[in-house]
Amino acid sequence: MGTKNVMEPLAPTKSKNVSKILDQYGRAPIHLAGTDNGLYERHLLFDNVIDLAGADARDRLEAFARSVQDVLSQRWTRTESTYERENPKRVYYLSMEFLIGRSFANNVTNLLLDPLASESVRQENINWAELLEQEPDAALGNGGLGRLAACFLESMATMQLPAMSYGLRYEYGIFKQLIQDGWQREQPDNWLRRQDPWEVARPHEKVEVKLNCSFVISGGALLPDRPSSLIGIPFDRPVVSYGGKTINTLRLWAASAPEFFDFQAFSHGDFVGAVAETLEAESLTRVLYPDDSTSMGQGLRFVQEYFLVACSLADLVRRFRRINADWNAFPEQVAIQLNDTHPTMAIPELMRILLDDEHLRWDEAWDITRRTLAYTNHTLLPKALEKWPLAWFEVMLPRHLEIIFEINRRLLDSVRTRFLGDEGRVQRVSLVEEDAGRKIRMANLAIVGSHIHSKLLRTTTVKDLAEIFPERFSNKTNGVTPRRWLLLSNTITEAIGDDWITDLSQLRRRKPLAVDAGFRLAFRKAKREAKMQFADWLKSTSDISVDPETIFDSQVKRIHEYKRQLLNALRIVVVYNRLRQNPDLDIAPRTFFFSGKAAPAYQLAKLIIKFINNLAGTIDGDPAVRGRLKVVFLPEYSASLAERLIPAWDVSNQISTAGYEACGTSNMKFMMNGALTVGTRDGATIEMAEQAGEENFFLFGLTAEQVVSSRAWYNPHWHYENEPETRAALDLIFSDYFSRNEPRVFAPLRDTLLTPGDYYCT
Ligand code: PLP
């Protein structure tokens, strides 16, 4: 990427001494609370206009968070002015999703304010746990892709890289999941109902986005109207590095109508119509698409993607031009990372800017574009690769379509020259899919117009393009930030000091401690405490009792056939049958936990949730297995739930059909927190097992290559006919044993497992 740290070196203060922490921030004295002019009291009074006695828990959170924001603000402006002064190469991370979760505890910890916060909490008699619960998750993402983006931001700030991230300010994040009668029900997540204390609106930095037509939304569909423009208003959120030295920015765009009224309509008396247009425009960034791993042909999403790209490029080009006169310097000064294909329109948009606004020649513009943009691929499922109807480009972005056609013409000319007569290859690499209803293949466009991060992809999904442009592909394994996902486990710091917090490779120093009885005891104690804490929380919030002495076995992630929650559930049925047949069977008592959302239109995934819940209910009602086997489905999987449960788990299930999980992220979080992995050779689990030694993993199942070759011979009926336990488990399910009042509700599971041939090798 070529970016470098330009901030002056500053070692994070390791002191618990409050005055030393304050010295770091260069403005003494700061009192978060506890004095007449403590920040907390001032914010309560002057922002919320309420006194201490009248404040509710949410008021207290807002005041506390604003106090923390006060501490970081100076650092934030200083970070930006350092970048302006030093003019380093900047990295811009474009993503339609940021699954940030809560910011409060993370910001306090990264600013090293924990001792100060504890002191304030004590002085003010604040209930810390209650305070933390007041912050809604910023759930602006579906799953791994969005969580990866959030981890990257924090890590880039901690590495002091001049990075800025762009996304959309959805008013509604991923839906809230309720479970009713075992079924998933979706409810809107209005996370901005109360003002978010972290975000800073910057209306003076607004940008204008031109569309060939405006749109009206009718019945959820997008209808084109006359030519129009939209305004993007940036809302900035601080991205706090560990140690608090660098505060980078996450800039989220909110859509708005141009500030002018339609005066003609207005003067003809249509005041309401003129205002309604504003509402139409604002609806563009109202809601995140609740979809995971499949592209949905939705016009609104198409405009959302273009809006993100157009606003962000206008903003970063404006910043580049403020300091740089020469366009040739652009790829040396700017790296733009596209998180999946969602922001791929950055390619034709940057070409449009360079060709039409800046009047560069095609070859120059293409060279700059290709060297500036990089694309991260996240999916190996061919049907999940985005394709947009050509007709939508024709209506809304005709100039971009023209540019895409020209990119394609040049690409196909060169492929024809190189692979004479191989028309099949030409069709496969083309940016335009000519099947029924012509479509633009966004992944092909992203690969042709950038450099790309992927490994498995080059041997499977886009093999033809990988053969033509081998030098453009490189593999980067996902990562997770150790601050959010490990820092709270204090046995590590006690054992090896705290250098690991910013240099994870230091964890290797724990290896000799594997045989240290004292460390092992401390580790077990920490794990047990985490399990007890989780059990207490679960009891107090949902009245479910779980026994921390049982093995906590987890599978928490989006519900998807390829992730194979169904395989895990079938195995539980097998164990249940064994216990029913042999009540004296000697097995360690276990509690199986599942959590995860299903895309609202993904019926089979929703049925899997229903099955797990029915399984849990039936097992709970059976005294024969009480205390030995329990199943719990935790509703509303979110980043904050993940933070709560990951440290408490003994076993992590990473059991996707090999070849389908591009990487995974919770696999690493569980392992870092000392869980044992039951897994397939898929995604980053492969590399984790290599690092830790396969003997320390519970690996099973086919490899990705074997899955491919098994298509020729795998027959689920064989297992049904020849394996008595498999047959007994399936027969129990299909006898409606788990659905006595809902006959045949699980019949579709039989269809998917047995009738067409069990595509995911369950
Ligand atoms: N969803 C949420 C809320 C998460 O916190 C995470 C990871 O922590 C994921 C999804 C991704 O999980 P996985 O990598 O297991 O698919």
Side-chain angles (χ1 to χ4, degrees), residues 41 146 199 243 566 682:
E41 287 81 356
E199 68 175 15
L566 195 51
D682 201 20

Side-chain angles (χ1 to χ4, degrees), residues 99 142-144 147 485 556-557 563 637-639 642 646 654 661 664-667 669:
L99 192 49
N142 274 284
R147 187 51 237 173
W485 298 105
V556 291
K557 46 184 76 249
K563 291 182 185 268
Y637 189 46
S638 59
I646 285 174
Q654 307 296 338
E661 188 74 88
T665 63
S666 79
N667 43 7
K669 295 168 190 169

Side-chain angles (χ1 to χ4, degrees), residues 221-375:
L222 198 71
L223 305 177
D225 204 355
R226 64 208 141 77
S228 124
S229 60
L230 285 166
I231 299 295
I233 312 272
F235 285 76
D236 289 353
R237 304 175 74 79
V239 181
V240 181
S241 63
Y242 183 72
K245 178 168 178 54
T246 296
I247 314 283
N248 281 338
T249 300
L250 167 60
R251 175 160 282 195
L252 301 179
W253 298 101
S256 174
E259 270 159 335
F260 57 83
F261 255 147
D262 184 341
F263 278 109
Q264 221 178 346
F266 183 47
S267 59
H268 284 86
D270 189 9
F271 174 74
V272 172
V275 176
E277 191 167 320
T278 313
L279 299 180
E280 278 312 335
E282 285 171 2
S283 59
L284 182 65
T285 46
R286 192 144 287 154
V287 60
L288 163 78
Y289 270 80
D291 182 38
D292 188 65
S293 298
T294 49
S295 75
M296 303 211 304
Q298 303 278 0
L300 187 60
R301 168 79 173 188
F302 175 79
V303 185
Q304 280 185 340
E305 290 184 358
Y306 178 63
F307 181 72
L308 166 68
V309 159
C311 292
S312 310
L313 285 190
D315 193 48
L316 68 89
V317 163
R318 175 170 64 189
R319 191 169 302 110
F320 170 78
R321 295 297 266 168
R322 245 196 333 255
I323 309 179
N324 302 278
D326 179 8
W327 273 104
N328 287 317
F330 196 66
E332 270 80 57
Q333 288 298 100
V334 173
I336 303 175
Q337 190 72 38
L338 310 176
N339 194 22
D340 212 308
T341 52
H342 315 148
T344 299
M345 275 183 264
I347 294 166
E349 175 68 2
L350 184 55
M351 286 296 286
R352 186 197 63 74
I353 293 171
L354 297 174
L355 295 169
D356 300 356
D357 298 349
E358 303 296 331
H359 309 292
L360 266 60
R361 289 182 300 107
W362 180 278
D363 289 340
E364 267 179 303
W366 184 238
D367 179 60
I368 291 170
T369 300
R370 274 233 29 252
R371 288 199 290 134
T372 305
L373 293 162
Y375 153 60

